Amino acid sequence: MELAVILALDVVSGAASLLLLCLGLAIIFGMMRIINLAHGEFVMLGAYATVISTNAGVNIWFAMLVISPVFVGLVGLVIERCLIQFLYGRLVDTMLATWGLSLLIIGIVTTIFGNTINGVPTPLGGFAIGAYRSSYYTLFLALMALVVMALIYVVMRYTRFGLIARATMQNPQMAAALGIAPARVYMATFAIGAGLTGLAGGLLAPISGIVPTMGSAYVAKAFISVVGGGAAILSGTASAAGLFGTINQLGAYFTTPVYGEVILFLSAILLIRLLPTGISGRFYKGSL
Amino acid sequence: MSYSRRQFLRSSIAGSVTILAAPALISRHAYGADDPILVGSLHDQSGPIAASGVPMVAALNLGIEEVNAAGGLLGRPLQLVHYDTQSNIQMYSQYAQQLAVKDKVAVVHGGITSASREAVRPTFDRFKVLYFYNTLYEGGVCDRNTFCTGTTPAQTVEKLVPYAMGKSGKKVYIIAADYNYGQITSKWMAKYVKDNGGEVLSVDFFPLDVTNFGPTISKIQAAKPDLILSALVGGNHTSFYRQWTSAGMKSQIPIASTTFGLVNEPSTLDASESEGILGAYGYFEELTTPASTDFVGKLRAKTPDLPYIAELAAGTYEGFYLWVEAVKKAGVIDRMAVIEALESGITFEGPSGKVVLDHATHHTTRNAYLAEVKERKWSVLETFPEAKPLDTAGVCDLVKNPTDNKQYVIDV
């Protein structure tokens, strides 16, 4: 029984961290159709922002929740202006450009901070359930995943900006005809997506080893979740992250971490084979 | 003057042949008495493994400077030919060819992971270029052209396991990186656990990109071991120690590791995450012997922001000097003469202590040190002098079979 509770916590934390990793990508890829292969590097930049500001004496919560998303959001803004804005509608070209971008970011960070492993200690500490132990931080991650999801929902569903953003993504010509500048909406949306990814990086910093190349460990999982989720950025991504997070954690527990990864990727292939438009293409058609 | 197409072709072919042949013409006269002896180096200076590779090249540079300052080797100066292999196995193969065929170096020091060593070893065998691998590894390489100066499990794991078990208990849980180093090292760990009357509850392997250790931590708790032996490798795996501490397990079950602290884990992890972790290597930067403080002082004076100076850097320095001593003894830089000199029991007093090259295995007999992390630094607890590479000695005898050339995977 105690073990079951601990396992349930593992599943929750696995799904929550996957969801946090995916939301920024869901906006950039799911909404804007930009294949951002530098997604992992945005995560890495967020993690570095947290580590460096914490080491400089900033409160860790402020670093994770404010500095990381704002910093990576600004980086995203610059990247959108300098690179992405010329490539809208050219899927393959964005792939190449962002791949180069990811190598460039890794190179820059390595040059500045070197290749050594960095990090910050995990705040909050642990608690016991019977003979087993887990950390409060996993619960905090789950809470953050819910908060971020709610935030995206409210912004997209109830605010003017959300409406404009959704309209622009669906039909930029029509939006432009109604007096909206699609270029500015794209810019803002990309920056928000990058900022959310930076937040994920900041939140994962206390439980990861941080090196310039850490992004590659995350990018594949984030993509399969977003693709598996389909067009609906919230319901699709959340259900895919929940599904894949559970499969990965239970797979890793009952077999080995090696098979856990294999099972995860096999089930992703199976899912895409059975539901070519992703989970939301079938179950949450037309929802946010 | 008319210049036909045919004439143009003829003259340009003649021209390019001359250009192509030029290096040969130049190099025919290249080996004068004062020309430098070239020392090859293949070490990652960028990419995930760079934090290990940077101090190794610094150590090699230090050695070369010292030899040159003392008047060079056989009256000739030494010159480093270094290639950054960028943590990329393909680069290793490519640059190994270049060192052997184009640069024609006298010796190559290089390779960090076992995968990189196995990528370049055949090339150096084929082109008959003397090769030194100066990293601690899982043991078993048996090749007359190759010298392995790092420690092997019989030298370090054999000391670490009984000490850690004596402190905590007999039930052991092993976690290791999922490639040849982790696979083979975990076998040795299991062997030493059994030899000391213990029991291995489980052996789990992790691909290098695994970052989420939640399920493993639950699994370990369910198994209730007395001790964890870790051969986890690299940045992603560092998150294990973080997640372990944040779950409050750090104070419950102790950890001993064959890889922790090889780069700079003690100084980057928080004290609460690393305190008390045990490790055993052939060298620690914290060693206070005069040779060690001198070595560290010189390296840090040259490169103040150098990462942690681990066994890899000390081993590279010692491997380099073993070669220097052998060349002095042989009086020439020819490969076979130097190999025979190396096999005659060459010795060097390095930062880690006395290092003796063993003829039969081409490995070294050297000191092993056992240490514990205290306040984000290694505190050396015990010294084991003259630890022998018994694992490799059990399968490899180059005195009897000089043509042997493979890596034995020891059946434990």
mmCIF file of all heavy atoms in Angstrom, chain B residues 25 59 122 130 174 193 226 240 247 249 356-357 388 394 400-401 412:
data_model
loop_
_atom_site.group_PDB
_atom_site.id
_atom_site.type_symbol
_atom_site.label_atom_id
_atom_site.label_comp_id
_atom_site.label_asym_id
_atom_site.label_seq_id
_atom_site.Cartn_x
_atom_site.Cartn_y
_atom_site.Cartn_z
ATOM 1 N N LEU B 25 58.706 15.518 -50.337
ATOM 2 C CA LEU B 25 60.049 16.044 -50.553
ATOM 3 C C LEU B 25 60.543 16.768 -49.306
ATOM 4 O O LEU B 25 61.696 16.642 -48.916
ATOM 5 C CB LEU B 25 60.056 17.034 -51.737
ATOM 6 C CG LEU B 25 59.741 16.409 -53.095
ATOM 7 C CD1 LEU B 25 59.658 17.488 -54.165
ATOM 8 C CD2 LEU B 25 60.807 15.383 -53.453
ATOM 9 N N ALA B 59 48.004 18.575 -18.422
ATOM 10 C CA ALA B 59 49.066 17.770 -17.822
ATOM 11 C C ALA B 59 50.120 17.401 -18.857
ATOM 12 O O ALA B 59 51.329 17.425 -18.595
ATOM 13 C CB ALA B 59 48.477 16.517 -17.191
ATOM 14 N N PRO B 122 42.942 -0.029 -32.934
ATOM 15 C CA PRO B 122 43.290 -0.772 -34.156
ATOM 16 C C PRO B 122 44.087 0.078 -35.150
ATOM 17 O O PRO B 122 44.981 -0.436 -35.816
ATOM 18 C CB PRO B 122 41.927 -1.148 -34.754
ATOM 19 C CG PRO B 122 40.964 -1.015 -33.649
ATOM 20 C CD PRO B 122 41.494 0.026 -32.723
ATOM 21 N N LEU B 130 53.030 3.815 -31.341
ATOM 22 C CA LEU B 130 52.943 3.506 -29.921
ATOM 23 C C LEU B 130 51.793 4.284 -29.280
ATOM 24 O O LEU B 130 51.628 5.474 -29.530
ATOM 25 C CB LEU B 130 54.271 3.900 -29.268
ATOM 26 C CG LEU B 130 54.471 3.543 -27.811
ATOM 27 C CD1 LEU B 130 54.274 2.059 -27.601
ATOM 28 C CD2 LEU B 130 55.857 3.961 -27.373
ATOM 29 N N ILE B 174 23.305 -2.237 -6.885
ATOM 30 C CA ILE B 174 24.262 -1.643 -7.833
ATOM 31 C C ILE B 174 23.522 -0.870 -8.914
ATOM 32 O O ILE B 174 22.576 -1.386 -9.527
ATOM 33 C CB ILE B 174 25.141 -2.739 -8.479
ATOM 34 C CG1 ILE B 174 25.954 -3.455 -7.398
ATOM 35 C CG2 ILE B 174 26.073 -2.141 -9.523
ATOM 36 C CD1 ILE B 174 26.740 -4.639 -7.898
ATOM 37 N N VAL B 193 31.492 -7.946 -3.939
ATOM 38 C CA VAL B 193 30.458 -8.048 -2.907
ATOM 39 C C VAL B 193 30.345 -9.501 -2.446
ATOM 40 O O VAL B 193 30.344 -9.797 -1.253
ATOM 41 C CB VAL B 193 29.100 -7.529 -3.439
ATOM 42 C CG1 VAL B 193 27.978 -7.911 -2.481
ATOM 43 C CG2 VAL B 193 29.140 -6.019 -3.628
ATOM 44 N N ASP B 226 21.608 -2.196 2.237
ATOM 45 C CA ASP B 226 22.407 -1.498 3.246
ATOM 46 C C ASP B 226 23.325 -0.472 2.596
ATOM 47 O O ASP B 226 23.835 0.427 3.256
ATOM 48 C CB ASP B 226 23.292 -2.497 4.009
ATOM 49 C CG ASP B 226 22.463 -3.547 4.716
ATOM 50 O OD1 ASP B 226 21.404 -3.190 5.241
ATOM 51 O OD2 ASP B 226 22.885 -4.722 4.721
ATOM 52 N N PHE B 240 20.837 11.879 -10.151
ATOM 53 C CA PHE B 240 20.494 10.829 -9.186
ATOM 54 C C PHE B 240 20.806 11.290 -7.767
ATOM 55 O O PHE B 240 19.981 11.145 -6.857
ATOM 56 C CB PHE B 240 21.260 9.528 -9.472
ATOM 57 C CG PHE B 240 21.120 8.520 -8.359
ATOM 58 C CD1 PHE B 240 19.964 7.764 -8.242
ATOM 59 C CD2 PHE B 240 22.097 8.378 -7.393
ATOM 60 C CE1 PHE B 240 19.798 6.871 -7.192
ATOM 61 C CE2 PHE B 240 21.946 7.489 -6.338
ATOM 62 C CZ PHE B 240 20.796 6.729 -6.249
ATOM 63 N N ALA B 247 14.714 13.227 -1.696
ATOM 64 C CA ALA B 247 13.741 12.269 -1.155
ATOM 65 C C ALA B 247 14.064 11.922 0.301
ATOM 66 O O ALA B 247 13.367 11.125 0.920
ATOM 67 C CB ALA B 247 13.719 11.007 -2.004
ATOM 68 N N MET B 249 16.717 10.298 1.295
ATOM 69 C CA MET B 249 17.349 8.987 1.413
ATOM 70 C C MET B 249 18.823 9.078 1.771
ATOM 71 O O MET B 249 19.436 8.091 2.164
ATOM 72 C CB MET B 249 17.209 8.215 0.099
ATOM 73 C CG MET B 249 15.793 7.839 -0.262
ATOM 74 S SD MET B 249 14.987 6.919 1.043
ATOM 75 C CE MET B 249 16.017 5.461 1.107
ATOM 76 N N VAL B 356 54.852 1.768 -11.630
ATOM 77 C CA VAL B 356 55.733 0.782 -12.266
ATOM 78 C C VAL B 356 54.983 0.121 -13.406
ATOM 79 O O VAL B 356 53.862 -0.347 -13.230
ATOM 80 C CB VAL B 356 56.163 -0.304 -11.255
ATOM 81 C CG1 VAL B 356 57.173 -1.241 -11.894
ATOM 82 C CG2 VAL B 356 56.723 0.321 -10.002
ATOM 83 N N LEU B 357 55.624 0.071 -14.551
ATOM 84 C CA LEU B 357 54.979 -0.560 -15.690
ATOM 85 C C LEU B 357 55.212 -2.062 -15.656
ATOM 86 O O LEU B 357 56.334 -2.518 -15.451
ATOM 87 C CB LEU B 357 55.538 0.044 -16.983
ATOM 88 C CG LEU B 357 54.570 0.004 -18.148
ATOM 89 C CD1 LEU B 357 53.310 0.777 -17.831
ATOM 90 C CD2 LEU B 357 55.229 0.586 -19.365
ATOM 91 N N LYS B 388 48.164 -3.892 -7.648
ATOM 92 C CA LYS B 388 48.516 -4.519 -8.929
ATOM 93 C C LYS B 388 47.278 -4.697 -9.806
ATOM 94 O O LYS B 388 46.193 -4.930 -9.296
ATOM 95 C CB LYS B 388 49.170 -5.878 -8.670
ATOM 96 C CG LYS B 388 50.513 -5.754 -8.008
ATOM 97 C CD LYS B 388 51.205 -7.099 -7.918
ATOM 98 C CE LYS B 388 52.642 -6.951 -7.475
ATOM 99 N NZ LYS B 388 52.781 -6.263 -6.181
ATOM 100 N N GLY B 394 45.090 -11.676 -14.811
ATOM 101 C CA GLY B 394 44.472 -12.992 -14.833
ATOM 102 C C GLY B 394 44.207 -13.527 -16.231
ATOM 103 O O GLY B 394 44.018 -14.727 -16.427
ATOM 104 N N LYS B 400 54.245 -14.209 -22.708
ATOM 105 C CA LYS B 400 54.042 -15.483 -23.407
ATOM 106 C C LYS B 400 53.441 -15.264 -24.792
ATOM 107 O O LYS B 400 53.821 -15.920 -25.755
ATOM 108 C CB LYS B 400 53.092 -16.367 -22.588
ATOM 109 C CG LYS B 400 53.805 -17.244 -21.592
ATOM 110 C CD LYS B 400 52.822 -18.298 -21.071
ATOM 111 C CE LYS B 400 53.230 -18.824 -19.717
ATOM 112 N NZ LYS B 400 52.068 -19.099 -18.872
ATOM 113 N N ASN B 401 52.460 -14.398 -24.894
ATOM 114 C CA ASN B 401 51.777 -14.174 -26.176
ATOM 115 C C ASN B 401 51.936 -12.729 -26.628
ATOM 116 O O ASN B 401 51.022 -11.932 -26.500
ATOM 117 C CB ASN B 401 50.271 -14.452 -26.057
ATOM 118 C CG ASN B 401 49.976 -15.720 -25.302
ATOM 119 O OD1 ASN B 401 50.501 -16.773 -25.619
ATOM 120 N ND2 ASN B 401 49.151 -15.594 -24.277
ATOM 121 N N VAL B 412 33.018 -12.793 -14.587
ATOM 122 C CA VAL B 412 33.052 -12.782 -13.127
ATOM 123 C C VAL B 412 31.911 -13.643 -12.590
ATOM 124 O O VAL B 412 30.799 -13.496 -13.036
ATOM 125 C CB VAL B 412 32.920 -11.345 -12.597
ATOM 126 C CG1 VAL B 412 33.084 -11.347 -11.093
ATOM 127 C CG2 VAL B 412 33.960 -10.459 -13.222
#
